[in-house]
Amino acid sequence: MTPPGQRAARLQLAGAALVGAVAGFTASRLAANARAYCDAGWEAGGKFELNFEMLFLVPGCAVLALVLALLTRRLPLPVRAVPILAALAAVVVWYFAVTGTLDGYPGHSGLCGPDNVPPWWPAWLPS
């Protein structure tokens, strides 16, 4: 039987990995939705190519969250979540800016400008 402290630590690591995987999936779907909205990419939303990238993005974000959880395991639990969530948020915004907005791609939807940033993306976030 595992001690309660060890079980809690394992659950926290599993939770961090799950949050990372969800962040990776969210980043992929956000980029696909932006491309589809602006009609940018060689097919509707670039979903075909983004699904291949998701094979690396989801486990990559899960590993990133897991490594950060291991590096911050001596910090109190609420403080421990801050670097994990900040790093995952940075990955999501970076992935959207790099993959979701194809600057200069001739989108045909008429809903986005030449930078292919959808109007629903907050202006204060980089794109």
Side-chain angles (χ1 to χ4, degrees):
M1 183 159 185
T2 20
Q6 194 176 25
R7 190 175 323 135
R10 286 182 184 168
L11 281 174
Q12 289 171 2
L13 291 176
L18 181 64
V19 167
V22 168
F25 181 79
T26 302
S28 177
R29 294 300 95 200
L30 184 63
N33 287 340
R35 283 186 177 191
Y37 188 84
C38 295
D39 194 23
W42 64 271
E43 49 109 359
K47 291 186 188 218
F48 183 74
E49 72 178 272
L50 292 178
N51 283 335
F52 285 116
E53 290 181 13
M54 190 168 42
L55 293 174
F56 301 102
L57 185 65
V58 171
C61 285
V63 168
L64 173 66
L66 189 59
V67 167
L68 287 173
L70 287 170
L71 290 174
T72 59
R73 67 179 174 241
R74 300 204 189 279
L75 295 175
L77 189 60
V79 175
R80 206 173 147 181
V82 172
I84 296 169
L85 295 176
L88 291 173
V91 168
V92 169
V93 170
W94 171 82
Y95 188 79
F96 177 81
V98 170
T99 309
T101 60
L102 300 175
D103 192 13
Y105 188 89
H108 302 294
S109 72
L111 300 172
C112 303
D115 57 356
N116 285 318
V117 177
W120 46 261
W121 184 253
W124 56 272
L125 285 175
S127 57

